[in-house]
Amino acid sequence: MLSFTRNILTKYTLPIKNGGYRCMSSGKLTTVEVNDKSGVAVLTMNRPPVNGLNLELLRDIHTSIDEIESNKCRGLILTSSSNSVFSAGLDIMEMYKPNQERLKDFWTTLQDTWLALYGSSVPTAAAINGHSPAGGCLLATSCEYRVMLPKFTIGLNETKLGIVAPKWFMSTFCNVLPRRVAEMALTQGKMFSSEEALKAGLVDELAQTKEESIEKCEEFFATFAKTNPFARAMTKQQFRSKDLQQLEDERAQDLEAFLFFVNQPSVQKGLGIYLEGLKAKSK
């Protein structure tokens, strides 16, 4: 059995109560609420203003995913507390003039979070209620289903920032899009509008409100009502096993490559220029 495979034999019954959502947990940067009727958990990122993926937010997301699995939830919906941003991606401040030990923790926690979400035995969906560039797109495409609100953008735009997306970012993208479309988008750093994302297959549906997007995610989970949950989970994990195992096998090399790249003087200079540009825009 591959090392990422979870104990999925006992994770498919959640006691159902009358009523709506109840809070299962609340971390500093995430909350988890469970729909008592459906048994579906909504994991909400809450790191204003843009849910930048720093070490602490990634830890909270990973902990929340583990909690949702261990509490036998029937689905996981990832969304944002912001009305305009799902997640702006990796926090640049984690990579600019970094503390080297924290930088290592940051990247290994990102690896852990991706392995947990992409390989989750629980059905997963993203209610994308805002812009979703770079790492935000990675989280969304790691889910099995995506519902997006109109007038936002999504994509892996690393090349426009002078960054090369790791292989597992690319594999996640290619799991959703046709290979040719994914290659063109990755090399161009393309950001898709909601409508373009739907047409390309990057998202599965559009919704007008966050509430509607969550309802559509729950409708997706309902399609598994007559499906054996163990068979469903194993089938999903077999589809994704190559990508998951590749990162498991290459974790150390992936970390070394990231550390080498980030610490290059040219990269640090580019990150500094990017941050100065952000400061200028905020004035």
Side-chain angles (χ1 to χ4, degrees):
M1 189 68 68
L2 294 172
S3 60
F4 58 81
T5 303
R6 287 161 170 69
N7 178 11
I8 59 177
L9 291 171
T10 60
K11 293 187 176 180
Y12 297 99
T13 56
L14 181 72
I16 303 299
K17 301 178 182 179
N18 293 325
Y21 285 91
R22 59 180 170 82
C23 184
M24 187 168 77
S25 69
S26 181
K28 290 183 178 180
L29 301 173
T30 60
T31 58
V32 177
E33 296 177 303
V34 179
N35 184 317
D36 285 325
K37 184 177 180 180
S38 66
V40 169
V42 177
L43 196 175
T44 302
M45 296 178 285
N46 183 28
R47 186 183 176 231
V50 295
N51 287 324
L53 298 172
N54 69 345
L55 175 59
E56 288 75 20
L57 177 54
L58 288 169
R59 282 175 175 167
D60 272 12
I61 294 172
H62 187 199
T63 298
S64 295
I65 293 169
D66 287 347
E67 185 176 15
I68 288 167
E69 294 228 9
S70 64
N71 279 274
K72 308 169 187 177
C73 295
R74 293 174 178 163
L76 183 166
I77 300 172
L78 182 64
T79 192
S80 164
S81 61
S82 169
N83 292 323
S84 59
V85 181
F86 178 74
S87 170
L90 303 185
D91 189 335
I92 298 296
M93 293 307 299
E94 293 284 9
M95 296 176 280
Y96 183 58
K97 297 181 179 179
N99 172 285
Q100 295 302 312
E101 287 304 312
R102 182 179 172 94
L103 187 64
K104 291 178 184 178
D105 287 344
F106 168 68
W107 195 254
T108 55
T109 303
L110 177 62
Q111 292 174 332
D112 290 338
T113 303
W114 178 79
L115 288 166
L117 182 59
Y118 193 67
S120 175
S121 60
V122 173
T124 57
I128 308 167
N129 58 319
H131 296 296
S132 188
C137 180
L138 176 70
L139 292 179
T141 52
S142 296
C143 297
E144 298 169 55
Y145 203 75
R146 284 154 296 284
V147 182
M148 189 172 182
L149 272 61
K151 299 181 181 179
F152 292 120
T153 57
I154 183 171
L156 293 177
N157 61 337
E158 279 79 355
T159 55
K160 287 186 176 178
L161 303 177
I163 298 172
V164 179
K167 285 190 290 185
W168 45 287
F169 279 53
M170 296 181 184
S171 297
T172 310
F173 213 47
C174 288
N175 190 49
V176 175
L177 291 172
R179 184 178 178 86
R180 177 60 175 162
V181 176
E183 180 182 353
M184 291 293 291
L186 284 164
T187 54
Q188 295 169 351
K190 179 178 175 59
M191 292 296 295
F192 295 80
S193 68
S194 302
E195 293 73 20
E196 288 173 332
L198 178 65
K199 185 177 180 180
L202 186 54
V203 301
D204 299 285
E205 293 189 76
L206 297 184
Q208 295 303 310
T209 65
K210 178 179 177 178
E211 292 73 22
E212 184 186 358
S213 69
I214 290 174
E215 289 175 3
K216 286 181 179 292
C217 290
E218 290 198 328
E219 289 170 3
F220 166 69
F221 295 149
T223 64
F224 299 122
K226 296 182 180 180
T227 303
N228 179 280
F230 176 73
R232 190 213 70 83
M234 288 301 296
T235 300
K236 168 188 173 179
Q237 291 188 331
Q238 286 189 65
F239 260 106
R240 301 182 175 207
S241 62
K242 182 178 178 181
D243 301 331
L244 291 159
Q245 195 65 59
Q246 184 174 39
L247 180 57
E248 288 277 19
D249 293 341
E250 299 177 359
R251 284 185 65 133
Q253 299 96 307
D254 181 68
L255 173 60
E256 289 176 9
F258 170 72
L259 295 175
F260 175 80
F261 178 80
V262 167
N263 285 298
Q264 292 300 301
S266 60
V267 174
Q268 286 296 307
K269 180 179 179 180
L271 293 175
I273 293 171
Y274 177 74
L275 289 170
E276 287 300 319
L278 291 179
K279 289 180 183 179
K281 288 180 181 179
S282 64
K283 292 180 180 179

